[in-house]
Amino acid sequence: MPYRSSLQRIRIWDLPTRIFHILLALSVAGLVITGEVGGNAMQLHFLLGYGVLTLVLFRLVWGWVGGHWSRFVQFVPTPSMLLSYVQSMRTKRTLNTVGHNPLGALSVLAMLVVLLFQVLSGLTSDDEISNAGPWTSLVPSDWVAIATEYHSEIGKVLLIVLVVLHVGTVLYYKRIKQDDLITPMLTGDKMLPLGTHDSRDTLTSRLFALSILIGCAYLVYRLVNLS
């Protein structure tokens, strides 16, 4: 371990990434709750779904142009990196990571993919009672049936399982491995060795992120109103 004096506070998670993380967590929780409540809550369920789609699209773009450690190229693991990390866990060796560790990176990618499929299937779902997605009139009825079953049965379970695993892993790292993953995601900073590459997090980059978010929101608006 490096001496304390050789460490400095480094900006790892830029503000857009942190806000994305918080908004996505709140939105997913809202989706699960409103989906279970049903009835009038489904109006909010649809709005939250559109919001999640906007956030996921934003994160996909931000993964290419965002802060250094928010970019996919910096945290998506190669097979050798993943194997090395798993072996370090088996031998209880400490393998320091700056941003997401390899398993955490896979969790992020899995969450984005599952959320994308869940929202898209929701756009094409019909409960045959009072709620139908905006794309149900655009696709064959067989597709609607498949999307409805996936959205209400398979996708929902996958999403809940991923959320539970994600929260459980974060708590495990904090309590057992003494590695706090929560505070850096809230503050953006970690104590790291001198010379560690930081993430760009300026007013200009934040305004750039806002413009991307607005663009994604407009795209979702057009997609929702295709019919």
Side-chain angles (χ1 to χ4, degrees):
M1 291 290 291
Y3 293 107
R4 185 72 179 177
S5 59
S6 68
L7 302 178
Q8 66 177 358
R9 192 175 299 277
I10 303 291
R11 176 55 48 92
I12 298 301
W13 304 120
D14 51 65
L15 184 62
T17 299
R18 285 177 280 146
I19 292 178
F20 158 82
H21 192 272
I22 294 171
L23 291 179
L24 187 66
L26 293 175
S27 298
V28 169
L31 277 176
V32 173
I33 293 172
T34 54
E36 291 299 318
V37 172
N40 293 331
M42 291 304 294
Q43 296 181 5
L44 178 58
H45 185 79
F46 276 98
L47 291 176
L48 287 171
Y50 304 152
V52 167
L53 180 56
T54 300
L55 289 171
V56 170
L57 292 177
F58 165 80
R59 188 63 182 91
L60 292 176
V61 176
W62 199 243
W64 294 100
V65 300
H68 182 79
W69 297 107
S70 296
R71 297 188 179 191
F72 297 134
V73 69
Q74 296 300 332
F75 70 82
V76 174
T78 63
S80 60
M81 291 171 56
L82 184 60
L83 179 60
S84 177
Y85 188 79
V86 171
Q87 289 177 339
S88 73
M89 293 181 64
R90 292 177 60 184
T91 58
K92 297 182 179 181
R93 291 185 294 109
T94 299
L95 188 62
N96 293 322
T97 56
V98 177
H100 292 298
N101 63 55
L103 291 181
L106 293 182
S107 173
V108 170
L109 295 177
M111 186 76 71
L112 291 176
V113 170
V114 169
L115 280 172
L116 187 60
F117 273 93
Q118 185 67 1
V119 175
L120 293 179
S121 64
L123 295 176
T124 323
S125 295
D126 186 353
D127 65 5
E128 298 182 348
I129 301 176
S130 59
N131 300 292
W135 288 358
T136 53
S137 62
L138 303 176
V139 299
S141 58
D142 290 347
W143 289 22
V144 173
I146 293 173
T148 302
E149 181 179 4
Y150 174 85
H151 186 79
S152 60
E153 302 294 336
I154 303 172
K156 181 178 70 173
V157 173
L158 282 176
L159 181 58
I160 292 175
V161 168
L162 280 177
V163 169
V164 171
L165 285 175
H166 183 74
V167 173
T169 300
V170 169
L171 294 178
Y172 167 78
Y173 270 82
K174 181 174 177 62
R175 297 182 63 85
I176 306 301
K177 297 181 70 67
Q178 302 298 311
D179 186 3
D180 184 8
L181 304 177
I182 301 174
T183 300
M185 186 55 72
L186 295 176
T187 65
D189 300 332
K190 291 179 70 173
M191 297 301 295
L192 294 165
L194 295 172
T196 302
H197 200 301
D198 63 347
S199 286
R200 182 183 69 251
D201 193 17
T202 63
L203 177 59
T204 300
S205 66
R206 293 173 181 180
L207 291 175
F208 180 48
L210 180 60
S211 69
I212 294 174
L213 181 64
I214 293 173
C216 291
Y218 178 71
L219 176 59
V220 170
Y221 170 79
R222 294 302 300 267
L223 290 173
V224 168
N225 291 281
L226 281 177
S227 58

